[in-house]
Amino acid sequence: MSLRPRRVDFDTTWVNLLETVKGVITCAQVPRATWNDRFSDVYALCVACPEPLGDRLYQETKNFLETHVETLHKNVVDGGEKNFLSLYHTHWVQYSKGSSFLNQLYGYLNTTYIKKQKYSDADLSYGGFSIESSDQMLEIGELALDTWKRLMVEPLKDALVRLILVDVWQDRCNGTVNQTILHGVINSFVNVEDYKKKHPLQLYEDIFEKPFRKETGDYYRQEAAKLKDECNCSDYMEKVILKLDNEDFRSRKFLHPSSYNKITFECQQRMVADHLQFLHGECKEMVKLKQTKDLSNMYRLLKPINGGLGVLIQEVESHIRRTGLEAVKNLKGENIPAQFVESMLEVHKHYTELIQQTFQTDQQFVGALDKACAAAINYRHNPKHPCKSAELLAKYCDNLLKKSSKGISEMELDDKLSSCITVFKYLDDKDVFQRFYSRMLAKRLIFSQSASMDAEEAMINKLKQACGYEFTNKLHRMFTDMSISMGLNNDFSEFNRGKDNKDLGVNFTIMVLQAGAWPIGQSNLPTFAIPQELERSVRMFETFYNGKFSGRKLTWMHNFCSAELKFNYLKRPFIVTMGTFHMAMLLLFNTCDRLTFTELMENTKLPEKELVKQVQGLIDTKLIVATGDKGDLCRCSFDLNMEYTNKRTKFKIASLGQRESPQEVESTHNAVDEDRKMYLQAAIVRIMKARKILKHTMLIQEVISQARARFTPNIPMIKKCIEALIDKQYLERTPNSSDEYRYVA
């Protein structure tokens, strides 16, 4: 075949081409040789001379397609309503397939003639003007689809949609419908405009989707009213979920994917959103009775509805708060810290599992759990008194980490400490916990009461992950001091061996602690004269330490010291660990059998009030016996109890420093208040230094935001801190406004 342009008789060529076109559009058998010849004919007409005949070819093809579709339209209408959809579907399947083949046959016409006269994709997408298919030439495949739309779909759309809706209604009523025909007819509304660049679903949405959504809404509005009258809430929800699932499956059987969510939304609006008051009214009882299946159904129904979950979330939060408060209120009996922590952990664990299983770990419900637990944990029995939760949690940790906690493995201990962090995260007063925890840690380290140093460090690392390095800085320094003290003891031993190998006469170990890292007050230390047996050891260590470090001052904290004595005066020997004050008093009985209170005071130099406490401690343990007016120990004399017995040959006498007194608790809270004031003042200066000028309300908000990680400051305290900084000339009020502050550089 020659590709050179030549003269072509259009009428003769068109007669041959038309026969093939008829076969192609009806999907008849077309021999390959005939196909190739007709392809050549299309090419010859497009390049004919003296004038190309592409325009006439396009027009004749358009006329043929219109005639053919009109014939099919008549055939569908004449077939009657019973066969209406099936005939339409049969002709559409044949026609759409044939039009794609026809588009290939006219490939040269499409590429060389039609595309040159069409608007480009850029014009259609970004041209800013509307272009209708009738205003431009279409490729033959597109022309075939457009012809079908104009001459078949638009004249029959009302009848088609009406019959489709009838079939869908039958399907909803468990009737039998032909899924293939229904799906094919509906999707023909989409496929007939597939070629469009802009709004290819416009026809589908206008003629079918809108009336289908309306009919769906009407149907499910009636179904919801019917179910509501017949069922209780639990049954209603189950049946609504079943209908929603069925309708979703039905959408996927019949509709275009763009309609799935829209139809589901319509069903949800009619069966759920329109009956929110009815559903919300049952939430409280379901939560109270822990009806997990109903709650799961309620969650599933309410989640897609705008604002639907609000009431359910509020009811869950209120219920958890009430349960938490019941668990922590009015705790009685022994080991209240353990009752408090374990009760809250049980509540938290139970409702965490409920939220995971019933509400699919929805973050809104997790937030409700957090708010409820925080409210219960930070509850104050008396608003004027500080919350005790931080103190109780610190005591619980102390009990876990002490040597006295028996029958617990390392893994169990680590799990319990991790659980403590769960409660810790909800504390508002984290700084109070820090104070109590550091004080208790100090006693465990000083009195060698820690069950495991690894567990101690693990707990500090957990706190560090929860609150940052600054929160645990001093705790880490306490551990550093302990390791440094071990090295100092070794060095001190080497120092003594170098002093002509003179023996100190006692086993003497020390701990040197940094004053700033340990929560031990150095003020109001009682006067005390150390026993002669220890004088040489103390003097030698001071000589060693001053020689090793210059400019450091040692302050002896005798009230935290302990000693080990061997009792040889009884029927059998005992080895007893006790405080230094008790040791000093008992050592005096090495030289005499009876001592008066005055003699004890003269030898130990302890203040009268302190000495009374220490003497009473020895009397309570029955190591000494008082003679005289026991109501006034200052008038008594004291003897060793020569009849003392104990089942254990090695035991401890707890010193007063190891026990927590009410005064110590009060002083801890006072120290926290002072720390808060300093923290708030530092935060205010930091903020003002960055902002220079700031309104009062904005300053308050920023301070609260910065402090929230450690504690929840109250407004009066912030105001006092601002006034204090104004007095210290860090800030000043601006001349223009009394509620605006300026940073003073």
Side-chain angles (χ1 to χ4, degrees), residues 112-272:
T112 62
Y113 178 67
I114 297 174
K115 281 190 176 180
K116 291 179 181 179
Q117 303 187 45
K118 285 182 67 175
Y119 292 103
S120 68
D121 290 347
D123 291 331
L124 294 172
S125 301
Y126 309 109
F129 48 86
S130 177
I131 302 169
E132 300 294 337
S133 60
S134 58
D135 297 336
Q136 62 170 330
M137 295 188 73
L138 299 173
E139 293 182 23
I140 298 304
E142 298 171 353
L143 177 64
L145 295 176
D146 183 67
T147 303
W148 182 271
K149 184 187 80 169
R150 288 186 293 105
L151 302 179
M152 182 69 85
V153 175
E154 291 182 352
L156 300 179
K157 62 183 179 183
D158 293 337
L160 287 170
V161 171
R162 178 173 57 80
L163 293 171
I164 290 170
L165 295 180
V166 169
D167 276 7
V168 172
W169 181 84
Q170 286 182 347
D171 188 72
R172 286 172 178 154
C173 298
N174 299 319
T176 303
V177 297
N178 190 316
Q179 178 183 338
T180 304
I181 290 175
L182 208 56
H183 178 74
V185 173
I186 292 170
N187 275 274
S188 72
F189 304 148
V190 176
N191 298 335
V192 81
E193 287 195 336
D194 263 348
Y195 63 90
K196 286 193 172 182
K197 303 296 182 184
K198 276 190 174 183
H199 314 300
L201 297 175
Q202 189 72 49
L203 178 70
Y204 169 78
E205 291 171 353
D206 288 344
I207 71 169
F208 172 72
E209 189 181 74
K210 288 179 181 177
F212 184 76
R213 286 180 64 181
K214 182 180 182 303
E215 191 274 340
T216 300
D218 293 341
Y219 175 81
Y220 283 108
R221 185 182 291 109
Q222 295 173 9
E223 284 293 300
K226 181 181 174 184
L227 288 175
K228 194 175 169 186
D229 290 338
E230 295 174 353
C231 308
N232 59 29
C233 186
S234 178
D235 292 339
Y236 177 84
M237 290 191 298
E238 287 193 2
K239 290 184 178 180
V240 167
I241 288 172
L242 182 61
K243 287 186 177 294
L244 287 172
D245 289 342
N246 289 341
E247 191 62 31
D248 182 63
F249 179 66
R250 189 174 294 111
S251 296
R252 295 171 193 279
K253 282 198 302 182
F254 300 140
L255 308 183
H256 186 265
S258 66
S259 297
Y260 297 166
N261 291 336
K262 297 176 186 177
I263 300 306
T264 300
F265 175 79
E266 189 67 33
C267 298
Q268 290 166 342
Q269 290 299 113
R270 301 292 76 80
M271 304 193 78
V272 182

Side-chain angles (χ1 to χ4, degrees), residues 29-48:
Q29 189 71 30
V30 177
R32 169 60 63 182
T34 304
W35 174 273
N36 291 338
D37 289 342
R38 298 298 84 77
F39 197 90
S40 301
D41 289 342
V42 171
Y43 173 78
L45 290 171
C46 290
V47 299

Side-chain angles (χ1 to χ4, degrees), residues 1 5 9 38 95 143 184 238 259 303 351 369 399 426 502 505 586 602 632 646 650 665 667 669 683 692 738 741:
M1 181 190 81
D9 184 346
R38 298 298 84 77
Y95 182 85
L143 177 64
E238 287 193 2
S259 297
K303 182 174 174 57
Y351 286 101
L369 172 65
N399 292 335
Y426 291 117
K502 289 184 178 179
L586 290 176
E602 287 176 356
D632 184 3
N646 197 312
K650 192 171 184 178
V665 172
S667 69
H669 282 292
K692 305 304 180 188
S738 60
Y741 306 105

Side-chain angles (χ1 to χ4, degrees), residues 629-644:
D629 183 7
K630 295 181 182 179
D632 184 3
L633 292 179
C634 297
R635 297 178 181 274
C636 292
S637 58
F638 309 98
D639 300 285
L640 288 174
N641 180 8
M642 305 303 291
E643 303 298 322
Y644 179 81

